[in-house]
Amino acid sequence: LELIDEGETDHKIICISLDDPDASRINSMSDLDTVKPGTTARLIDWLKRYKTSDGKPENSLAQEFPTTASEAVAIIEETHQRWRHLCALDSSHSYVSGAADFWLSSKSCRGM
């Protein structure tokens, strides 16, 4: 899901635990709603409203339908490549061109 949170796109990757008894039947958001009706609507409602208890306005969605699993994987891969690029740089704070406000302290990168 592409949430607009305080004016910025915030990708929400939805997954299901393999321990869930229905996991083998759920491979997409469409499957999720077939197997667990209403789950997507409740999730979207929560994502839109979860910051309102702090007095912030409701979030919105960039689009009214979830991206596909392959689009989600592409987002994960792109973000991972940006993280790897930032972690590979020697300066204590690095910036990726074209990724507004994508800052990271390379000293704190782990797992490479």
Side-chain angles (χ1 to χ4, degrees), residues 76-87:
I76 292 167
E77 288 174 351
E78 177 186 352
T79 305
H80 182 66
Q81 288 305 314
R82 289 180 182 185
W83 173 79
R84 288 179 55 85
H85 174 73
L86 287 170
C87 292

Side-chain angles (χ1 to χ4, degrees), residues 63-80:
Q63 54 192 21
E64 289 301 313
F65 51 90
T67 58
T68 64
S70 61
E71 290 169 322
V73 169
I75 291 165
I76 292 167
E77 288 174 351
E78 177 186 352
T79 305
H80 182 66

Side-chain angles (χ1 to χ4, degrees), residues 1-6 10 12 40-65:
L1 294 168
E2 294 180 344
L3 187 71
I4 304 299
D5 184 356
E6 298 183 22
D10 186 1
K12 301 298 184 185
T40 301
R42 287 190 306 274
L43 177 60
I44 289 171
D45 184 61
W46 183 83
L47 287 169
K48 286 181 175 181
R49 298 171 186 260
Y50 79 103
K51 289 189 176 181
T52 59
S53 62
D54 295 339
K56 295 179 181 177
E58 255 189 42
N59 296 317
S60 61
L61 295 176
Q63 54 192 21
E64 289 301 313
F65 51 90

Side-chain angles (χ1 to χ4, degrees), residues 79-104:
T79 305
H80 182 66
Q81 288 305 314
R82 289 180 182 185
W83 173 79
R84 288 179 55 85
H85 174 73
L86 287 170
C87 292
L89 298 176
D90 293 330
S91 63
S92 63
H93 288 88
S94 304
Y95 180 74
V96 173
S97 177
D101 299 323
F102 200 88
W103 292 86
L104 183 69

Side-chain angles (χ1 to χ4, degrees), residues 8-64:
E8 295 183 358
T9 302
D10 186 1
H11 297 282
K12 301 298 184 185
I13 305 298
I14 310 304
C15 19
I16 187 165
S17 171
L18 293 176
D19 294 332
D20 187 295
D22 296 316
S24 65
R25 300 179 353 177
I26 301 172
N27 297 296
S28 67
M29 293 299 286
S30 177
D31 291 345
L32 177 62
D33 267 340
T34 299
V35 176
K36 298 177 184 277
T39 299
T40 301
R42 287 190 306 274
L43 177 60
I44 289 171
D45 184 61
W46 183 83
L47 287 169
K48 286 181 175 181
R49 298 171 186 260
Y50 79 103
K51 289 189 176 181
T52 59
S53 62
D54 295 339
K56 295 179 181 177
E58 255 189 42
N59 296 317
S60 61
L61 295 176
Q63 54 192 21
E64 289 301 313

